[in-house]
Amino acid sequence: MSLVVEADGGSRGNPGPAGYGAVVRDAATGQVLAETAEYIGTATNNVAEYRGLIAGLRAARALDPAATVRVRMDSKLVVEQMSGRWKIKHPGMRPLAAEARSVLPPEAVTYEWIPRERNKYADRLANEAMDAGRRGEKWRPSASTAELTAREDLPTVDSAALSVPPVPATPPATTESSAEARAAARAAVRQARVRQPEQPELPEAAGGGTDPTAVTAAPERAGGTAQGWGPDLGTPTTFVLLRHGETALTPLKRFSGSGGTDPELSPAGLGQAEAAAAALAARGTVQDVVASPLTRCRQTAEAVAARLGLKVETDEDLREADFGAWEGLTFAEARERYPRDLAAWLADPGAAPTGGESFAAVTRRVERARDRLLERYRGRTVLLVTHVTPIKILVRLALGAPPESLFRMELSPAALSAVAYYADGNASVRLFNDTAHLR
């Protein structure tokens, strides 16, 4: 497993009444797997922060002793000392740092400093623990509202305009849970890696969601053909795939590729972009942002990057297919005006729309982009903001699935998917068409 630990600690007086909080997330999806908090009596801020780190690492170890872990904290002192860049001068900190290093193999843990506003969940847990201590009580996970409170701090969007039904949240496990509960949490994470069959869907013309037979059966670099669980291959490179928000053409189901006009996001699409940005900021796992150069993707990517404090890189090979003369038409209109070309395009991945780009050509450039980005961002979590066709192709290639498998893929505007790529060349689809953030 690849996990993220968010930890914090605080003292009301420094030294004074102190407590810590820690959260463990799945690195690819951001799902909360465990949370813990404790009142520790009178201590300094730094001691409380180290205690939060130790508790978070222990919670990660309880989920998977072989996990790779990225620790994210707003304590510059702890991050720099544990990374080995700062000396530990205070004698009281040395035993705590040594204890933290002993929880998991040092090579399995990396450290990242984040701004305080991106560590609100752990901060809330620490404050809940201190509040419980003041009342003479022990922090209880069943009474915690830290996750909900942290989410409420994020900007909201008009859910009516987004028209997406709510999805019930999954309550986090806790380090106080039984062994059975921890095993269930591990099983839930592993289950996300299992390929699930989908019901057939009709092709969607809007945004390039076209007939899935029009995809090449090119050789797979990351085909996911291996079976079972192999040795630890280190931290995978994870692509979090975000389809852009709606444009004016999307609800009309018109071909919208890269060969015609370059539409902007509609008001609903801008709201979807902000909702995706809030969700990704809450997960806190994205380290880089790369987008298609088309306006609708850049607008979506910039909304996320602004929330994360990152910059947007563009990659020409992530653009949508060029639908040529079909741009702006509905599927029925294209069939009426160009019946032979449309029939050939549906039957042969090498056939192109009238004056446009074949799906065989799209697949070649998407593979180019995949390989280039995997090399550039090795071991990191990268957000790719792109279109229906590139995302479906990346998922299909990761699964090693035949072209017709794309009949079973539905990809909504501003939906999130995720693919983890491992050092042995295999890939694991961790998430697909997640729209819970749009509720």
Side-chain angles (χ1 to χ4, degrees):
M1 295 172 66
S2 182
L3 304 174
V4 171
V5 169
E6 298 167 3
D8 200 9
S11 170
R12 296 170 178 172
N14 199 29
Y20 66 74
V23 183
V24 184
R25 300 180 184 270
D26 180 271
T29 67
Q31 179 189 5
V32 174
L33 303 179
E35 61 178 9
T36 184
E38 186 180 358
Y39 173 68
I40 58 173
T42 300
T44 65
N45 283 327
N46 292 339
V47 168
E49 289 163 345
Y50 261 110
R51 292 286 298 275
L53 167 63
I54 293 167
L57 291 173
R58 286 175 174 166
R61 184 182 63 186
L63 288 167
D64 186 351
T68 57
V69 176
R70 183 162 82 250
V71 174
R72 305 169 71 250
M73 298 181 68
D74 59 59
S75 170
K76 191 76 171 175
L77 176 84
V78 174
V79 168
E80 294 300 317
Q81 288 182 343
M82 292 302 297
S83 298
R85 292 184 289 267
W86 288 6
K87 291 184 178 179
I88 305 176
K89 298 180 179 180
H90 195 290
M93 298 297 106
R94 291 172 190 159
L96 292 170
E99 185 176 357
R101 291 192 185 99
S102 70
V103 177
L104 288 166
E107 64 273 12
V109 185
T110 57
Y111 292 85
E112 175 189 357
W113 178 85
I114 56 173
R116 190 170 190 81
E117 59 269 17
R118 290 175 58 189
N119 202 28
K120 288 184 177 179
Y121 191 164
D123 175 75
R124 298 280 185 184
L125 288 172
N127 276 282
E128 284 184 353
M130 286 185 275
D131 290 342
R134 184 180 57 198
R135 298 190 301 267
E137 301 172 356
K138 185 178 180 180
W139 177 83
R140 292 181 296 110
S142 59
S144 176
T145 61
E147 182 177 18
L148 294 176
T149 307
R151 287 181 179 177
E152 287 169 359
D153 287 340
L154 298 171
T156 59
V157 296
D158 184 358
S159 59
L162 300 178
S163 301
V164 178
V167 177
T170 302
T174 74
T175 54
E176 294 187 354
S177 300
S178 64
E180 290 81 1
R182 290 196 297 271
R186 291 195 293 271
V189 176
R190 288 169 180 162
Q191 186 177 11
R193 299 183 182 181
V194 178
R195 302 170 189 169
Q196 299 293 333
E198 300 285 344
Q199 294 302 314
E201 297 285 352
L202 293 175
E204 173 192 354
T210 49
D211 188 277
T213 60
V215 186
T216 183
E220 315 291 338
R221 177 186 180 278
T225 56
Q227 300 290 326
W229 295 95
D232 182 9
L233 298 173
T235 302
T237 304
T238 300
F239 288 171
V240 178
L241 308 171
L242 172 61
R243 184 190 171 190
H244 62 80
E246 284 187 11
T247 72
L249 297 177
T250 308
L252 300 177
K253 294 191 178 295
R254 295 185 178 274
F255 284 99
S256 180
S258 58
T261 59
D262 187 11
E264 297 183 346
L265 295 179
S266 65
L270 290 169
Q272 291 167 337
E274 289 298 330
L280 290 166
R283 295 178 180 186
T285 56
V286 170
Q287 298 170 283
D288 304 277
V289 180
V290 181
S292 156
L294 298 183
T295 299
R296 53 196 183 270
C297 285
R298 287 191 290 104
Q299 286 180 298
T300 304
E302 285 162 3
V304 178
R307 190 71 63 87
L308 298 179
L310 301 173
K311 64 179 182 178
V312 178
E313 303 287 346
T314 58
D315 191 305
E316 186 70 22
D317 285 335
L318 293 179
R319 70 188 186 280
E320 182 57 282
D322 180 352
F323 294 109
W326 304 352
E327 295 278 353
L329 302 181
T330 64
F331 191 86
E333 289 169 342
R335 183 171 52 196
E336 179 182 353
R337 299 182 194 183
Y338 307 98
R340 291 185 179 178
D341 288 353
L342 183 64
W345 178 71
L346 293 174
D348 180 6
T354 310
E357 180 183 26
S358 74
F359 276 86
V362 177
T363 299
R364 285 193 295 270
R365 63 174 166 82
V366 168
E367 288 180 310
R368 255 194 337 259
R370 178 198 63 190
D371 294 347
R372 183 170 57 249
L373 296 172
L374 285 174
E375 181 65 26
R376 183 185 306 167
Y377 297 107
R378 187 175 301 172
R380 296 175 69 81
T381 298
V382 187
L383 176 69
L384 305 188
V385 185
T386 180
H387 309 263
V388 166
T389 305
I391 291 174
K392 285 188 174 183
I393 288 173
L394 285 168
V395 171
R396 186 188 78 81
L397 295 175
L399 291 173
E404 58 268 24
S405 67
L406 295 187
F407 276 122
R408 296 165 176 81
M409 294 188 193
E410 167 97 15
L411 196 65
S412 304
L416 287 165
S417 304
V419 180
Y421 297 88
Y422 295 89
D424 63 354
N426 284 297
S428 173
V429 175
R430 308 292 300 279
L431 187 72
F432 185 72
N433 198 36
D434 178 13
T435 57
H437 53 285
L438 302 180
R439 62 180 183 273

